[in-house]
Every structure is written in structure tokens, then in C-alpha cells.
């Protein structure tokens, strides 16, 4: 656990951009490991959708813990878990939930301010750190200034910086600003906050090299991989129902897939 945590922290400390695939189940975790990922993140939206729930706090705690346990059980990579706003307004309840995830093997979490106040998230961070009692956990604090359109331009930059600086003082290890696209604004946030900056991939973003040059240290896929998978399955299902499905070129056979999950 401590080695996995140390490896995960190190991914954020170099000059290179850490590209983090977000998955929703154990199969996806093995797949991204096979493809060369250095860590695995979960997507709250993708996990909720794959369990038959809408995103936005609807995923039952038992389903979250079960999925995380399954993911940790099949990958040797560090695993970080998106817990939205902690699924509660009560800091002690959030902290207890995080402890269960740590005990299941998670080395990091994402937790967001969402529609709540920055002070509420600060209280949750403090409660988590207190409950951990010194045990390591990479807490990536997400602010939804851009995602929710709380401000624009220079005001959005200022608000994001203020929030992330407060989260850093409370014990955060990383700052996550989904919805932020502009390189100059990313550079301004990265330069003013004492946390590695995490962005979420969006269509039309600058190149990975340009993001790295601007000071971004982690780029998450968010729900994008799930959307790709959904689109491919929808197309294949339409073809199958119409009697015209063919296997895509390069698709693995039964034996190759089964062998992947036989290697524990």
C-alpha cells in the first residue's frame, strides 16, 4: 500500500504530464494496465452508469466499495477513486467512507466542492486527514468553478486559485480543475497553487506536450473512455440486431481475454 502510494505521488512530481485513464470496473483496470497505464483512476460518472445509476451522488456506497475492491484485486497499479463530494454533507461520514476505501486498497481519492461551499470541502479534508491518523492517501481536490460556470476568464482563474490554495492548507495533495481548457489560464493556476494541477480531457484541448509546458501535471480521461466504449457497443448492437455484425480487426479472442484474467 505504501509503495503504491509512493509510486502514485511520484507520478505527479516530474516535469512530464501523467496521463490517467479512468475506468469503471475490474475488466477495464486490467485492460489499461495491459495497455501501459501507470495508474488507474475511477470515473464516478462511468461507474454510476455501469451500475445503472445516474451520475451525481446516486451510486450506493455498497456498489462503490464492491467495485473498488474488485478493481484493486486485479491490478498491480495504484488506484485512485472518484468519490464526488463524498456522498454526504457530514465530514465524519465522508471520512469513514474514505477509510473503507483505503482499507480496500485505494491510494488516492478525488473529492469535489461541486455546488457546495469551499468551507464545506475544507471541513471534509480535515476530517479525512484526522481519521487517517497519518496513513498515506493522495487527496486530489476538485473545484467546479469552470465545470459549473461559476465564473469566467480572470475571475474563474482567481476563484480557482483561491479555492485550491485553501484546500492545500487543509491537507490536499493535488488540485483538479475540470472544464479548464485555456493554456494561459491553466498556467496561471499552476503557477499560483502549491499543488500539482490536474485537468480533465475535453475535445479541442491543446496537445499533451503543450499542457505539460503550461504546468499541468495530470490529465484524467473522465467519462471519455466510457463514452467511447458505449458508442462502440451501440454500433455493434445495431449491427447485430440487423444481422450484419462483424468482429473488428484486431479484436482479441476468447482465449486471450480469459488468460488475462487467469493471471493473478
Amino acid at each position: 500500500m505504501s509503495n503504491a502510494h509512493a509510486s502514485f505521488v511520484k507520478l505527479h512530481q516530474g516535469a512530464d504530464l501523467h496521463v490517467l485513464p479512468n475506468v469503471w470496473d475490474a475488466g477495464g483496470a486490467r485492460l489499461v494496465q495491459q495497455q501501459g497505464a501507470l495508474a488507474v483512476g475511477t470515473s464516478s460518472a462511468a461507474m454510476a452508469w455501469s451500475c445503472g445509476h445516474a451520475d451525481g451522488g446516486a451510486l450506493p456506497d455498497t456498489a462503490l466499495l464492491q467495485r473498488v475492491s474488485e478493481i484493486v484485486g486485479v491490478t498491480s497499479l495504484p488506484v485512485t477513486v472518484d468519490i464526488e463530494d463524498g456522498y454526504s454533507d457530514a465530514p465524519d461520514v465522508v471520512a469513514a467512507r474514505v477509510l473503507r476505501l483505503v482499507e480496500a486498497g485505494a491510494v488516492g481519492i478525488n473529492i469535489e466542492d461541486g455546488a457546495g461551499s469551499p468551507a464545506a470541502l475544507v471541513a471534509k479534508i480535515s476530517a479525512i486527514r484526522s481519521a487517517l491518523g497519518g496513513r498515506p492517501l493522495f487527496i486530489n481536490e476538485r473545484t467546479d468553478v469552470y465545470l459549473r460556470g461559476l465564473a469566467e476568464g480572470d475571475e474563474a482563474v482567481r476563484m480557482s486559485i483561491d479555492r485550491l490554495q485553501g484546500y492545500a492548507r487543509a491537507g490536499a495533495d493535488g488540485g483538479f480543475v475540470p472544464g479548464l481548457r485555456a493554456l494561459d489560464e491553466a498556467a496561471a493556476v499552476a503557477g499560483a497553487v502549491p499543488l500539482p494541477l490536474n485537468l480533465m480531457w475535453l475535445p479541442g484541448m491543446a496537445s499533451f506536450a503543450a499542457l505539460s509546458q503550461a504546468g499541468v501535471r495530470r490529465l484524467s480521461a473522465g467519462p471519455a473512455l466510457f463514452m467511447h466504449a458505449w458508442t462502440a457497443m451501440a454500433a455493434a448492437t445495431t449491427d447485430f440486431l440487423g444481422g450484419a455484425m462483424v468482429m473488428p480487426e484486431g479484436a482479441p479472442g476468447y482465449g486471450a481475454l480469459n488468460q488475462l484474467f487467469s493471471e493473478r
Side-chain angles (χ1 to χ4, degrees), residues 34 42 56 67 69 87 98 114 127 146 174 176 180 236 240 261:
Q34 184 186 50
T42 68
R67 282 289 178 92
S69 298
Y87 302 103
V98 171
Y146 283 85
F176 185 20
L180 173 55
F240 180 62
F261 295 100

Side-chain angles (χ1 to χ4, degrees), residues 22-32 40-43 46-47 50-51 66-72 74-75 226 261:
N22 295 97
V23 304
W24 50 95
D25 61 10
R30 281 305 287 267
L31 173 59
V32 300
V40 177
T42 68
S43 160
M47 190 177 288
S50 69
C51 289
Q66 179 67 28
R67 282 289 178 92
V68 171
S69 298
E70 292 168 355
I71 289 169
V72 171
V74 300
T75 180
F226 183 92
F261 295 100

Side-chain angles (χ1 to χ4, degrees), residues 113-114 142-161 163-164 176-189 197 199 202:
D113 49 30
R142 169 177 144 177
T143 183
D144 284 355
V145 170
Y146 283 85
L147 204 60
R148 293 178 179 267
L150 302 182
E152 295 182 356
D154 291 344
E155 177 61 17
V157 171
R158 185 199 62 76
M159 187 180 293
S160 297
I161 290 171
R163 291 186 177 206
L164 294 182
F176 185 20
V177 191
L180 173 55
R181 298 172 186 254
L183 283 177
D184 59 337
E185 295 179 6
V189 174
L197 178 61
L199 299 186
L202 293 168

Side-chain angles (χ1 to χ4, degrees), residues 24-264:
W24 50 95
D25 61 10
R30 281 305 287 267
L31 173 59
V32 300
Q33 178 172 326
Q34 184 186 50
Q35 295 300 109
L38 299 178
V40 177
T42 68
S43 160
S44 63
M47 190 177 288
W49 295 334
S50 69
C51 289
H53 299 278
D55 188 27
L59 184 69
D61 189 45
T62 53
L64 173 68
L65 187 60
Q66 179 67 28
R67 282 289 178 92
V68 171
S69 298
E70 292 168 355
I71 289 169
V72 171
V74 300
T75 180
S76 60
L77 299 177
V79 175
T80 183
V81 181
D82 187 339
I83 62 169
E84 301 188 52
D85 66 353
Y87 302 103
S88 175
D89 293 329
D92 58 333
V93 173
V94 174
R97 179 168 288 117
V98 171
L99 283 184
R100 290 193 290 272
L101 293 173
V102 171
E103 289 162 2
V107 303
I109 60 166
N110 276 9
I111 185 167
E112 67 200 45
D113 49 30
S117 70
L121 185 50
V122 165
K124 291 176 184 180
I125 302 168
S126 299
I128 292 168
R129 285 293 180 210
S130 177
L132 286 169
R135 281 177 287 179
L137 181 71
F138 191 100
I139 302 179
N140 200 39
E141 296 303 332
R142 169 177 144 177
T143 183
D144 284 355
V145 170
Y146 283 85
L147 204 60
R148 293 178 179 267
L150 302 182
E152 295 182 356
D154 291 344
E155 177 61 17
V157 171
R158 185 199 62 76
M159 187 180 293
S160 297
I161 290 171
D162 286 349
R163 291 186 177 206
L164 294 182
Q165 287 177 338
Y167 302 153
R169 290 191 294 269
D173 298 293
F176 185 20
V177 191
L180 173 55
R181 298 172 186 254
L183 283 177
D184 59 337
E185 295 179 6
V189 174
V193 176
L195 300 170
L197 178 61
N198 179 194
L199 299 186
M200 182 176 72
W201 180 86
L202 293 168
M205 287 186 82
S207 69
F208 288 9
L211 291 170
S212 180
Q213 183 74 21
V216 181
R217 290 294 167 260
R218 170 167 148 187
L219 184 68
S220 304
L225 295 178
F226 183 92
M227 293 172 179
H228 272 273
W230 184 277
T231 301
M233 185 172 178
T237 302
T238 298
D239 290 345
F240 180 62
L241 293 173
M245 184 170 73
V246 296
M247 291 299 289
E249 184 177 350
Y254 172 89
L257 284 173
N258 203 52
Q259 181 63 30
L260 180 63
F261 295 100
S262 300
E263 300 168 355
R264 293 295 183 96

